[in-house]
Amino acid sequence: MSGEAEEVAHDTVEAAVRAQLAKAFGGVRGIIEAAVPTVAFTISWITTEELKLSLIISITLSVLLLVARIAQRSTPQFVINSLIGIAIGAFFASRTGDAKDYFLPGILWNAGYAVAMLLSIVTRWPVVGFLIGSVTGDPTGWRKDPGIVKLCSRLTWLLLVPCVVRVAVQLPVWLFGGGDKAVAALGVAKIAMGWPLQVAALGAMLWVLGRGRTPLKPPVAPA
């Protein structure tokens, strides 16, 4: 029943993708929840140079944000994603003893995500297409329409660009920077190039989506 309701609500590809994109972004609260632990880690390290203390503060704040979500019975998805990333970063930094390694998993994640999206475009399986599949109930039916594939490829490019920019800026700092300046630069870069870039990409995607009305064809029911 829920699938049928979605098909009725979204009669174009653009409307379906807009609805799914809205779910994929955490809104203002999601932006804050993603930034707070990184801000806390960066400030703590710069002021104390105590790696263990900085990691404890960052992880504790993430756990508190998760508890607040659960207590309010709101979706914890975005906090959990952030907590996992922070935990992995904490593991890297604690193993090497270098505070800048806290930011390495994020750099690697963006690089891997960019490569995966590029491959999806080249092979004509753009990742945004699966947002349409989640609405129609047919994960791959959208590939039968060249116009939809072309639209989804454009939208996937817009998701790919922020990942490339983050790696291009942060990787050289991680490779060649050292001490407090590198940690501060990476902290500022991660925050400034995190949700702001993502929101910019979302805005560009919505602009592209607002220019067309591609009919959304539901899957043909079996006889």
Side-chain angles (χ1 to χ4, degrees), residues 71-126:
Q72 296 171 357
R73 296 184 178 180
S74 59
T75 176
Q77 172 190 344
F78 304 103
V79 181
I80 291 174
N81 292 344
S82 177
L83 182 57
I84 292 173
I86 290 166
I88 296 174
F91 174 78
F92 273 59
S94 62
R95 293 289 290 180
T96 65
D98 192 336
K100 73 178 183 180
D101 288 341
Y102 175 85
F103 302 96
L104 179 58
I107 297 172
L108 295 177
W109 168 260
N110 277 281
Y113 201 44
V115 170
M117 285 193 289
L118 179 59
L119 287 174
S120 78
I121 295 170
V122 171
T123 58
R124 295 183 60 78
W125 282 89

Side-chain angles (χ1 to χ4, degrees), residues 11-57:
D11 58 347
T12 66
V13 171
E14 289 78 11
V17 175
R18 280 198 298 269
Q20 295 302 92
L21 287 174
K23 295 178 183 178
F25 287 77
V28 174
R29 183 172 179 176
I31 295 171
I32 294 173
E33 288 171 340
V36 166
T38 299
V39 172
F41 173 84
T42 304
I43 293 176
S44 176
W45 168 254
I46 292 173
T47 55
T48 68
E49 293 191 9
E50 291 286 341
L51 178 59
K52 185 176 181 179
L53 174 62
S54 302
L55 292 174
I56 290 173
I57 290 174

